[in-house]
Amino acid sequence: MKIAIIGTGYVGLVTGACFAEVGHQVLCVDNDPKKVEMLRGGGIPIYEPGLEDLVRRNVAAGRLDFTGSTAEGVERSEVIFIAVPTPPQNDGSVDLSFIEAVAREIAANLTRYRIIVDKSTVPVKTAEKVAETIRRYCKSKVEFDVVSNPEFLREGFAVDDLMKPDRIVIGVSSPRPETAMRELYAPFQAPFIVTDTNSAELIKHAANSFLALKISYANALSVVCEAAGANVQEVTRGMGLDARIGTRFLNAGLGFGGSCFPKDLSAFIQISTHLGYDFRLLKEVQRINAEQMDRFVKKITDTLWVLKDKQIGVLGLAFKQNTDDVRLSPAIDLCQRLIKDGARLRVNDPQAMEKAKSLLPPGPQVEYVSDMNAVPEGCDALVIATEWPEFTKLDLTRARKAMTTPIVVDGRNLFDPAEMEQHGFIYKSIGR
Ligand code: UDX
């Protein structure tokens, strides 16, 4: 099938590349000419495992192309995906101006039946608004359908999540677009849920909020475990093996971050309030998340006492493993707090060092160290801030010798407490 994807960010680019990979003809549209030029030349603006190969292969095969023209996308494609950003506003609500602008552009170029699919994460009732906008701004009486098709991909696993999804959710307001959507997704074998647009939109916010709730539950448990002398990893494993609960997303740590969970949670709280329901449960999820970071900083200051002029090694800057994304990263938040208290940092991340520099400029208080094993040199403490599996391969003997005082504060429970003590470290982690 011929499809256009408007917005070539994370979601748009990965979706476009995966659709091309299964044989569709994909045109990715972006209003940033530099990005279009870069992608046409084989460059990839983001780090995502497997994406570069996928893009190159499909561009070479002639199934994937890039343009700056929405008109071209609308003209050439039967199905047009909207995958533009929906950033948060100051009050936590969602800024829908990019969606609205795209809807108007589609309307201005609509000359025959098209299916317009909203892939961006949007508040319930957005599909209705998009349809209304297109109807209002389209000069002629052209038929079209607006479909909601939320995306559930995780950064760092995006290609896999798209190629092997847990489920595909389609929200429609008439039966007409269903056949085309089924055909489009036929190569991806996954449960296919067809519902109304409002339910489809809610599925996305409800799912992400529930996952955030699971993490906050584990983090709240970690506090109880610490107070009781129990081990949160044992408790969550014991709980999670109940198939109704599941072991995933129960890792206690520094709390969740990134460009999705905090934003989607705030948005869902706002949406619910707007609909007349005070979703206090989710407000508590937010509060636990914020407190988790406060508690971790306290753990560091309780150990080191005065932070001014202390040298602290920090492993991890990305908001989680397998990504170079530092947006709303708990690790960056942590670094900024330590700097504010006067500490000097030696930081390392396998992928996120370049992107971190805009939020954490190199200078007298921040030194970027390219080799993780060199980070502990001269440090008063070493902090683990992101759950990269690479960090478990740290040369502990070398680290122990190189540190001024052998203190390790592990915000992601990557190391075994007994082993760390054997190596001579004063080791603190979360809920253990
Ligand atoms: C998330 C959803 O998983 C995805 O379905 C949705 O489409 C977008 O939002 P993503 O933001 O890429 O994806 O990250 P995710 O892997 O879900 O992790 C989010 C945050 O939670 C990270 O900061 C991570 O460190 C943290 N986390 C995750 C925990 O603290 N504990 C866990 O057990 C799991």
Side-chain angles (χ1 to χ4, degrees):
M1 291 178 80
K2 288 187 172 162
I3 63 179
I5 314 251
I6 302 180
T8 314
Y10 245 106
V11 171
L13 183 57
V14 183
T15 307
C18 289
F19 275 136
E21 178 72 4
V22 298
H24 297 305
Q25 192 65 42
V26 182
L27 184 60
C28 285
V29 182
D30 204 284
N31 62 6
D32 177 354
K34 277 198 211 123
K35 198 188 249 183
V36 172
E37 197 182 317
M38 179 185 191
L39 286 160
R40 277 194 159 156
I44 304 285
I46 50 173
Y47 167 77
E48 187 60 43
L51 184 61
E52 198 165 339
D53 274 0
L54 206 62
V55 171
R56 291 231 173 97
R57 189 164 58 240
N58 284 287
V59 168
R63 287 189 299 263
L64 178 63
D65 199 1
F66 302 92
T67 179
S69 161
T70 303
E72 194 186 343
V74 175
E75 173 55 32
R76 277 179 32 181
S77 318
E78 309 155 66
V79 183
I80 301 149
F81 281 85
I82 305 178
V84 291
T86 48
Q89 308 190 97
N90 286 341
D91 64 353
S93 65
V94 181
D95 175 358
L96 292 167
S97 57
F98 297 113
I99 299 268
E100 205 246 341
V102 171
R104 287 168 61 167
E105 257 189 281
I106 292 172
N109 292 288
L110 206 61
T111 52
R112 71 189 96 154
Y113 178 75
R114 294 287 181 250
I115 299 171
I116 294 113
V117 185
D118 183 16
K119 220 175 212 328
S120 306
T121 300
V122 291
V124 60
K125 292 182 185 293
T126 300
E128 291 174 5
K129 289 280 180 208
V130 168
E132 206 179 295
T133 306
I134 296 176
R135 222 171 285 124
R136 188 174 303 148
Y137 287 92
C138 188
K139 287 181 203 87
S140 47
K141 258 204 162 321
V142 185
E143 287 190 15
F144 66 91
D145 274 296
V146 175
V147 170
S148 164
N149 171 217
E151 184 47 65
F152 301 100
L153 61 82
R154 293 163 302 163
E155 289 182 23
F157 304 92
V159 173
D160 247 27
D161 283 350
L162 249 137
M163 298 302 282
K164 290 175 255 159
D166 285 346
R167 78 296 207 190
I168 293 155
V169 174
I170 301 292
V172 293
S173 53
S174 81
R176 187 170 177 186
E178 190 182 327
T179 315
M181 293 308 291
R182 281 192 187 273
E183 190 187 330
L184 193 64
Y185 275 108
F188 307 89
Q189 277 147 14
F192 198 82
I193 295 166
V194 181
T195 180
D196 59 280
T197 54
N198 288 341
S199 300
E201 286 162 343
L202 275 175
I203 287 171
K204 174 66 190 260
H205 274 124
N208 268 3
S209 300
F210 191 80
L211 290 168
L213 180 145
K214 270 190 106 173
I215 299 169
S216 277
Y217 191 85
N219 284 333
L221 265 182
S222 77
V223 183
V224 177
C225 285
E226 259 175 51
N231 181 330
V232 71
Q233 279 178 317
E234 305 287 318
V235 175
T236 51
R237 190 174 132 72
M239 275 169 59
L241 288 173
D242 181 330
R244 293 169 302 175
I245 297 173
T247 48
R248 294 170 72 193
F249 274 73
L250 278 177
N251 293 321
L254 284 187
F256 55 80
S259 59
C260 289
F261 280 179
K263 165 181 105 130
D264 290 354
L265 200 56
S266 300
F268 198 31
I269 291 169
Q270 271 280 335
I271 292 162
S272 306
T273 307
H274 202 67
L275 293 168
Y277 179 65
D278 181 9
F279 217 142
R280 278 173 299 192
L281 177 64
L282 296 184
K283 290 180 181 168
E284 193 58 22
V285 169
Q286 283 182 319
R287 196 180 63 81
I288 293 169
N289 200 51
E291 278 182 7
Q292 192 70 358
M293 178 58 81
D294 296 343
R295 206 171 283 111
F296 189 72
V297 173
K298 185 169 180 301
K299 202 168 263 181
I300 298 172
T301 48
D302 282 352
T303 317
L304 288 181
W305 191 22
V306 174
L307 288 193
K308 192 165 184 309
D309 292 331
K310 290 272 162 62
Q311 182 145 299
I312 301 179
V314 180
L315 292 180
L317 297 166
F319 82 99
K320 63 169 193 178
Q321 60 172 304
N322 260 357
T323 180
D324 64 349
D325 196 345
V326 291
R327 287 175 293 173
L328 291 188
S329 168
I332 300 282
D333 181 16
L334 174 69
C335 288
Q336 287 167 340
R337 290 181 193 220
L338 298 177
I339 289 170
K340 202 160 156 263
D341 285 342
R344 286 177 286 116
L345 307 183
R346 288 170 63 76
V347 301
N348 170 274
D349 188 283
Q351 289 296 339
M353 301 232 269
E354 272 322 300
K355 291 209 170 148
K357 283 177 185 163
S358 59
L359 298 172
L360 214 58
Q365 274 188 278
V366 187
E367 186 183 346
Y368 283 80
V369 182
S370 56
D371 171 12
M372 73 166 176
N373 282 309
V375 169
E377 270 160 38
C379 285
D380 299 285
L382 179 67
V383 173
I384 318 295
T386 308
E387 64 271 39
W388 282 99
E390 282 88 333
F391 294 151
T392 59
K393 301 198 179 76
L394 184 77
D395 184 338
L396 293 174
T397 312
R398 178 173 160 189
R400 170 73 185 81
K401 280 195 199 127
M403 291 179 74
T404 307
T405 47
I407 295 168
V408 175
V409 193
D410 184 352
R412 296 292 180 180
N413 287 349
L414 285 191
F415 293 99
D416 176 39
E419 197 190 332
M420 293 303 277
E421 269 159 41
Q422 266 168 20
H423 272 91
F425 289 105
I426 297 165
Y427 177 72
K428 307 214 166 172
S429 56
I430 307 268
R432 305 189 296 177

